[in-house]
Amino acid sequence: MLNRIRENILPLTVALAFLMELIDATVLATAIPVVARDLGVPVLSLKMAMATYLISLAALVPISGWIADRFGARRIFVLAMAIFLVASLLCAVQTTLTGLVLARALQGVGAAMMSPVGRLIVLRNTEKSEMTRAMVYVIMPALIGPAIGPFVGATVTTFFGWRAIFLMNLPFGALAIWLTFRNMPKEGPTEAKPFDLPGFLLSALGLAAAMTGFSALGEHILPWQLAAALSLGGLGLLAAYWVHAGKRRDPLLDPRLFRHRTFDVSVTGGLIFRLSNGAISLLLPLFFQLGLGATVMLSGALTGLNAVGAVAMRGLAPRMLDRFGFKWVMVSAALLRGITIFGFATVTSLTDWQLVPLLLIGGAAQSVVFTAVNSIAFADLEGHEMSAGTAFTAMSRQVSLALGIALAGVVLELTAGAAATTAGTEMMPVGAFLASFLIAGLTGPLSALYFLRLRPGDADALRRKRRPVEGIGSSREPYRPPQPAPSQPTCPGAIRPARRDAAE
């Protein structure tokens, strides 16, 4: 038991940082109407505060792998958490929407280094056959944040004001930094590839411009002409980056990674699927509070049920993937998630019988897909591709969430009319949410279509398959893979063998 605890302390330490990050995101979503009233701004303008954090994160995350290699992963991980904590303090003292948006952007800078570098540290210390389990340990505590975060945040907002929700990050961050110094192995600088400055500028400016433009469409933070120009200009810069990256041997975001079918399915299919996650994070608190008339605390409790379903399924998801393989489990779960989002369009009252099952089942389906896509992205990558793959997957997650928020906000403003421009003081008709739920639900079947690209045998190295052991002849005996040779060549970014006896 002691060995098992020691084996898991590294992913759990990283997970604590993710917990801090996710609590912050879920708490802000629940408090949107309250923040809008206090700042005197249109309620949907707060989606810019949500999206800006993701925009900053996505724009800077491509250099996270290079910075970790250049300066040492543990050192960058601690620095990232410190930046995140300072930004949280700044968020708590803002009195204008502009100030809050800028402080959230600084939080994104810290998160851009914190999440992918922490995940990279776990990957570098985990063998492939244990990767799915390690990802469960990393993600499981973080899922507790969305489960309890909305209700805790609603309680804090009700009794202490919305500014206190950002101060909750401080004890979590301090504990994560202490555990990092105590338990995380020191990793000095490795042989980092040459820094691609033109590629970084093209990708960072392109992502920031395109996502800022998309997020500003449909509301009055920026004129629609400027928002449209930013969107188109950003897309042009991203196209230029794609051409540039194809000519380099060592680009920041390597398009050649998509030659691995498992990586392509994880990134592209996962991006489509996560659009719904971003959309729902904005829609549900507004639907409960401004559509159905729930209090902030009730809204937080209901929103948290979605994550409760995810937590309940997280331990079972790896067993399902081991038993049935990745392809059909991912397809089925994506379709089920889409159905549950469609189901919200049938809810007209807080007492409707289908509301709680939709939240729980939808969260469970979402958990299965997240577990799968987080694992298969690395199934076929070589050791030297891990840093680039980690940066690419982290960036795609934030892009999809920000785009989902932007899409839901635009659709909701078009259907809600004048209620969308008030500072969280006017109810919205329940029917105004219908189109948003239907569009968000479409991402389930669309992502399922992309998951169908997987072939039999894809990502089987990540499964704990049960095979006959020589001399026994029974499929009930577990398959024991050959042990690694005592001495193996190493290279920067290579995955180090982990002890299976402690994990099993």
Side-chain angles (χ1 to χ4, degrees):
M1 178 63 69
L2 182 59
N3 286 338
R4 180 174 297 181
I5 293 175
R6 289 173 177 170
E7 232 13 81
N8 296 333
I9 194 66
L10 177 60
L12 289 175
T13 300
V14 173
L16 185 58
F18 295 170
L19 175 66
M20 173 178 66
E21 198 178 314
L22 288 173
I23 282 182
D24 184 79
T26 55
V27 166
L28 180 61
T30 305
I32 282 178
V34 177
V35 178
R37 286 194 295 270
D38 188 46
L39 299 182
V41 296
V43 65
L44 286 179
S45 68
L46 264 297
K47 73 182 175 69
M48 195 67 190
M50 295 177 63
T52 300
Y53 167 81
L54 301 171
I55 292 168
S56 179
L57 199 159
L60 296 178
V61 78
I63 64 171
S64 62
W66 182 88
I67 291 179
D69 290 341
R70 176 65 179 81
F71 299 102
R74 191 179 81 160
R75 183 181 303 169
I76 296 302
F77 188 61
V78 171
L79 176 62
M81 286 189 287
I83 293 174
F84 192 90
L85 294 182
V86 170
S88 297
L89 283 172
L90 292 176
C91 287
V93 300
Q94 297 307 312
T95 58
T96 65
L97 176 61
T98 301
L100 182 60
V101 168
L102 292 176
R104 290 284 288 171
L106 183 60
Q107 276 190 315
V109 173
M113 302 297 131
M114 186 164 60
S115 296
V117 173
R119 189 181 298 269
L120 179 61
I121 291 171
V122 174
L123 290 171
R124 283 178 171 176
N125 291 273
T126 306
E127 63 173 300
K128 286 193 174 183
S129 62
E130 295 297 321
M131 199 176 294
T132 299
R133 265 73 186 173
M135 289 299 102
V136 170
Y137 284 121
V138 168
I139 297 171
M140 174 66 84
L143 283 176
I144 298 174
I148 66 174
F151 183 72
V152 171
T155 304
V156 170
T157 300
T158 300
F159 293 103
F160 301 102
W162 65 268
R163 301 177 192 281
I165 64 178
F166 292 104
L167 301 178
M168 293 193 303
N169 291 328
L170 302 184
F172 289 106
L175 178 59
I177 290 175
W178 178 76
L179 286 174
T180 299
F181 280 120
R182 181 178 177 84
N183 299 299
M184 191 170 288
K186 292 183 179 179
E187 293 187 2
T190 61
E191 186 179 347
K193 60 188 179 184
F195 182 59
D196 179 15
L197 179 59
F200 169 66
L201 292 177
L202 287 173
S203 63
L205 293 177
L207 283 169
M211 294 171 65
T212 299
F214 289 142
S215 299
L217 287 174
E219 41 91 1
H220 306 292
I221 288 182
L222 296 176
W224 72 265
Q225 297 92 337
L226 179 57
L230 283 173
S231 302
L232 293 176
L235 290 176
L237 289 174
L238 291 176
Y241 171 78
W242 206 258
V243 174
H244 168 82
K247 297 178 181 179
R248 287 187 61 94
R249 296 179 56 186
D250 52 359
L252 287 173
L253 297 172
D254 192 351
R256 288 180 289 269
L257 293 177
F258 285 89
R259 75 181 186 276
H260 301 295
R261 185 169 50 254
T262 48
F263 184 84
D264 178 28
V265 170
S266 172
V267 172
T268 307
L271 189 150
I272 297 171
F273 182 83
R274 286 189 177 94
L275 288 173
S276 66
N277 199 35
I280 289 300
S281 70
L282 176 70
L283 290 174
L284 285 184
L286 297 180
F287 179 58
F288 294 144
Q289 294 179 52
L290 302 183
L292 302 181
T295 63
V296 175
M297 293 186 64
L298 180 57
S299 171
L302 289 173
T303 303
L305 286 178
N306 195 66
V308 169
V311 172
M313 181 56 65
R314 182 62 68 175
L316 297 176
R319 299 181 183 181
M320 295 173 59
L321 295 170
D322 287 346
R323 176 65 179 85
F324 301 105
F326 282 80
K327 179 177 180 177
W328 294 112
V329 171
M330 293 170 67
V331 169
S332 302
L335 290 174
L336 184 58
R337 175 62 168 164
I339 292 171
T340 60
I341 297 176
F342 289 147
F344 289 124
T346 69
V347 176
T348 59
S349 168
L350 291 170
T351 59
D352 285 354
W353 68 269
Q354 70 269 36
L355 178 57
V356 172
L358 288 174
L359 290 166
L360 292 173
I361 296 173
Q366 171 186 288
S367 176
V368 172
V369 176
F370 283 177
T371 299
V373 298
N374 284 335
S375 299
I376 65 170
F378 306 98
D380 299 320
L381 298 189
E382 303 295 334
H384 67 278
E385 295 176 315
M386 283 293 179
S387 293
T390 301
F392 219 135
T393 54
M395 182 209 67
S396 69
R397 282 194 298 273
Q398 312 313 322
V399 168
S400 60
L401 292 174
L403 291 179
I405 292 171
L407 177 63
V410 170
V411 176
L412 186 56
E413 181 163 4
L414 292 175
T415 56
T421 64
T422 63
T425 58
E426 185 175 334
M427 296 289 290
M428 296 182 183
V430 173
F433 293 88
L434 176 63
S436 297
F437 284 134
L438 293 179
I439 291 175
L442 284 175
T443 61
L446 289 176
S447 60
L449 287 175
Y450 208 87
F451 295 153
L452 287 173
R453 295 191 67 246
L454 288 174
R455 297 177 183 173
D458 281 349
D460 271 3
L462 307 182
R463 299 171 60 191
R464 285 183 174 179
K465 294 174 286 186
R466 305 173 74 86
R467 302 176 183 170
V469 176
E470 184 177 357
I472 297 178
S474 170
S475 61
R476 295 178 181 268
E477 293 292 332
Y479 166 68
R480 297 182 176 87
Q483 296 297 313
S487 177
Q488 295 182 349
T490 60
C491 64
I495 298 178
R496 301 179 185 133
R499 291 179 54 185
R500 289 187 60 87
D501 58 341
E504 296 176 347

